[in-house]
Amino acid sequence: MTVTAEPIMLEQGAAAVGDSPRRSPPQGIRRRRTKAPLWLLTPAGLVMAVVTLAPIVLLVLISFTDYDQRSLFTGEFSFVGVAQYGAIFTDPDFWWSLVRTIGFTLAMVLGSVAIGMGVAQLMTRLGTVMRYVVTVVLICAWAMPNVASSLVWNWLFQPGYGVVNWLLTQVGVFGDLTQIAWSQHPVLAATSIWALIVWQAVPFIALTLYAAQVQVPPEYFEAARLDGASEWTIYRSITLVFLRPTLLLITILSIIWDYNVFNQIWLISQGGPDDITTTLGIFTYKTAFVGFDLGGGAAVSVVTTLILLGLTALYIRNLVRSGEEL
């Protein structure tokens, strides 16, 4: 009896111990824990609603009106329905600005991602000291405000005293470029803006890809080298496979950011020359604040926001999928 009773007593004790963690807390404590996060998030939610939702609602309402410069002083305007949207969709300048925006975005994303991948791969081959130096340089470039960097960048390409013009002249390959105004030349203006935005985007991409690349197990590289695989084959078959989720998310983020670029273009060329650098952001600003067609500018902004929402939805969808894969 004693031998058979001990297992029974042990099982009962184990059951009692196992049941104790599953005891639910009192009802009052559970209710307070449920409502506390809501009370804590309420102030931030109200601020976000005021500074984000209210301007969006006002923007949508203005896009259905003929709000212009006269309305700013008199407060008089009329609802015109979807007439503003019909006007912009039949405006060839809108479609050309959309085409230029897509072209700019593709060029900037391809350039920044390709250079960022190269820098990330280079950082894996550097020594500890040199890698820290490169990291600090990248962080300094990334932390630079885009307005300040755009003004300095514009100074570098100025005719007469521009540093880049002087350096290219000293090389002697392109002739005398000291009097060339980059912002007044269609190709050169687009090139300088592209270089500026890529320079600003590379640090984030390079550091993010480097952080993901050092997480790849080194055993894969050792096994591939023992099998006689070349470095390019190792990078293509192993590194890129592990970097695919991170690379996809970085590419989508870069598309969203580069699609919405405004400061750099406006400060360097103001959309010129001959509207060659007029993207949707520049076109919206000119429509609303240069031509004072605030209703039309609001309509363009709504269309641009809808496109960005589509890109953001794609980003979130891929973010969730990458989380599921991990």
Side-chain angles (χ1 to χ4, degrees), residues 50-317:
V50 172
V51 302
T52 302
L53 297 180
I56 293 177
V57 173
L58 182 61
L59 178 71
V60 174
L61 292 177
I62 293 178
S63 67
F64 293 103
T65 67
D66 60 352
Y67 208 93
D68 55 10
Q69 187 177 13
R70 176 182 56 85
S71 303
L72 291 175
F73 298 97
T74 64
E76 298 178 356
F77 59 90
S78 302
F79 284 93
V80 295
V82 296
Q84 296 285 11
Y85 293 93
I88 63 173
F89 286 140
T90 56
D91 186 0
D93 292 335
F94 167 79
W95 293 108
W96 277 115
S97 63
L98 178 60
V99 171
R100 284 189 291 266
T101 301
I102 296 174
F104 262 87
T105 302
L106 291 177
M108 290 183 291
V109 170
L110 290 176
S112 58
V113 171
I115 298 175
M117 292 174 63
V119 174
Q121 178 66 17
L122 176 64
M123 292 178 65
T124 61
R125 305 301 179 92
L126 296 176
T128 304
V129 176
M130 196 61 191
R131 184 166 60 248
Y132 278 120
V133 172
V134 173
T135 302
V136 171
V137 172
L138 291 175
I139 292 176
C140 290
W142 187 23
M144 183 71 65
N146 56 24
V147 174
S149 58
S150 299
L151 294 176
V152 174
W153 197 269
N154 197 21
W155 173 79
L156 293 175
F157 292 88
Q158 283 294 320
Y161 57 85
V163 177
V164 175
N165 292 357
W166 179 82
L167 288 175
L168 292 177
T169 302
Q170 297 303 311
V171 172
V173 177
F174 304 101
D176 187 4
L177 299 179
T178 54
Q179 300 302 322
I180 295 296
W182 288 63
S183 60
Q184 302 301 320
H185 191 280
V187 177
L188 296 181
T191 302
S192 63
I193 294 172
W194 174 87
L196 170 61
I197 297 174
V198 168
W199 173 78
Q200 293 175 333
V202 162
F204 170 76
I205 297 174
L207 294 175
T208 304
L209 290 178
Y210 170 73
Q213 193 165 340
V214 295
Q215 303 301 319
V216 181
E219 293 81 8
Y220 290 94
F221 300 112
E222 296 175 1
R225 291 189 178 97
L226 289 177
D227 291 339
S230 62
E231 293 299 323
W232 166 247
T233 303
I234 294 174
Y235 184 79
R236 178 173 51 86
S237 303
I238 299 177
T239 305
L240 286 182
V241 172
F242 280 92
L243 291 181
R244 187 176 301 167
T246 305
L247 193 59
L248 177 61
L249 297 181
I250 286 177
T251 302
I252 297 176
L253 277 177
S254 299
I255 292 174
I256 296 173
W257 292 337
D258 294 340
Y259 182 89
N260 212 25
V261 166
F262 173 80
N263 290 339
Q264 297 89 329
I265 300 176
W266 183 257
L267 292 173
I268 291 179
S269 66
Q270 296 185 353
D274 299 329
D275 292 334
I276 196 64
T277 58
T278 299
T279 58
L280 273 179
I282 303 297
F283 179 76
T284 304
Y285 182 84
K286 287 184 175 181
T287 302
F289 300 108
V290 177
F292 287 102
D293 183 10
L294 299 179
V300 179
S301 298
V302 170
V303 174
T304 304
T305 303
L306 292 177
I307 297 175
L308 289 177
L309 285 177
L311 296 175
T312 305
L314 179 63
Y315 163 70
I316 295 175
R317 177 170 173 267

